[in-house]
Amino acid sequence: DAGITQSPRYKITETGRQVTLMCHQTWSHSYMFWYRQDLGHGLRLIYYSAAADITDKGEVPDGYVVSRSKTENFPLTLESATRSQTSVYFCASSEKGYSTDTQYFGPGTRLTVL
Amino acid sequence: QKEVEQDPGPLSVPEGAIVSLNCTYSNSAFQYFMWYRQYSRKGPELLMYTYSSGNKEDGRFTAQVDKSSKYISLFIRDSQPSDSATYLCAMRRRGADGLTFGKGTHLIIQP
């Protein structure tokens, strides 16, 4: 089914472990985004990508690494997870990144760091 | 002061009522304004998008932007229990790639 998918949907890990969250879209959208959603903060941009091999930092990039070797995939890696990274992570995509483009969100990954 | 302020609620109203949801912002560079709806344990979905001051209507939903006051609103007419969700306002600067979100307002429509 076409759209934007995230995996896993739920993940529990321990402090210090590496975790990778996957995002896949079937629309061939140029732009992809990672946001985190926390109570009291709303959604905040972590990283985004304008195209394959082009990435840039958002508002809260520390502790995260991204890559984009293929247009359809945009994985987010927590190299050494911390409790403060417990959150719900949303991936989004938009067609071209124009100011009027809609960002379409995936279903989210709920991450707990113990 | 956060760039975008939104009352988290919860806001509880009876079915059929008119609902008013609001956000204020401090950065006049925001030029594009959106309302997203988010059901529990789901991703946000776009409801309304506007980039000029004034009103935009889509079915039971009306988005209103007042750039001079840095204030945006979403009105829901004839509210239904299925409208119960969290409503997120979002804004974008011209040329910027990401969105800046409010915290979201949790809306409950009582049958």
Side-chain angles (χ1 to χ4, degrees):
Chain A
D1 194 14
I4 185 165
T5 56
Q6 294 183 236
S7 61
R9 294 294 314 279
Y10 300 89
K11 177 74 177 177
I12 299 174
T13 191
E14 294 178 339
T15 301
R17 290 191 180 266
Q18 183 179 81
V19 177
T20 295
L21 310 183
M22 304 301 294
C23 179
H24 176 78
Q25 51 101 358
T26 60
W27 293 307
S28 298
H29 283 175
S30 294
Y31 275 73
M32 296 187 74
F33 308 83
W34 275 106
Y35 292 87
R36 61 178 287 175
Q37 186 174 36
D38 305 287
L39 277 173
H41 287 282
L43 281 148
R44 291 179 292 173
L45 182 66
I46 305 171
Y47 268 97
Y48 65 96
S49 168
D53 298 321
I54 300 175
T55 62
D56 210 344
K57 295 178 180 179
E59 181 186 352
V60 288
D62 293 343
Y64 302 96
V65 174
V66 293
S67 62
R68 195 166 175 208
S69 57
K70 292 184 178 181
T71 300
E72 61 267 30
N73 297 324
F74 190 38
L76 176 74
T77 298
L78 290 66
E79 292 194 305
S80 179
T82 65
R83 289 197 181 93
S84 65
Q85 293 177 309
T86 292
S87 186
V88 183
Y89 291 85
F90 288 99
C91 179
S93 72
S94 67
E95 187 175 2
K96 286 185 169 57
Y98 295 149
S99 296
T100 52
D101 274 358
T102 298
Q103 289 190 17
Y104 297 92
F105 284 79
T109 293
R110 189 170 294 266
L111 176 68
T112 301
V113 182
L114 301 176
Chain B
Q1 181 188 9
K2 283 186 69 69
E3 283 191 295
V4 181
E5 299 281 358
Q6 184 177 10
D7 187 338
L11 175 63
S12 183
V13 301
E15 183 177 354
I18 296 175
V19 175
S20 172
L21 304 167
N22 311 294
C23 287
T24 59
Y25 61 97
S26 57
N27 191 339
S28 58
F30 288 127
Q31 296 293 316
Y32 305 93
F33 305 92
M34 290 136 272
W35 286 95
Y36 279 82
R37 179 175 62 195
Q38 184 177 24
Y39 290 113
S40 180
R41 302 203 173 239
K42 302 286 188 184
E45 56 177 339
L46 183 68
L47 268 181
M48 301 284 286
Y49 193 132
T50 184
Y51 52 86
S52 59
S53 285
N55 294 352
K56 180 178 180 180
E57 191 172 318
D58 184 1
R60 296 185 295 112
F61 299 90
T62 299
Q64 189 175 78
V65 174
D66 182 346
K67 289 186 178 180
S68 62
S69 301
K70 298 188 181 65
Y71 188 88
I72 69 170
S73 299
L74 177 71
F75 299 96
I76 307 173
R77 290 184 298 281
D78 188 25
S79 56
Q80 304 294 313
S82 59
D83 295 327
S84 297
T86 296
Y87 289 80
L88 306 161
C89 64
M91 306 181 186
R92 191 175 193 177
R93 290 179 283 275
R94 188 186 301 275
D97 295 304
L99 301 177
T100 301
F101 283 85
K103 294 178 184 178
T105 298
H106 181 44
L107 174 66
I108 301 166
I109 307 298
Q110 303 163 339

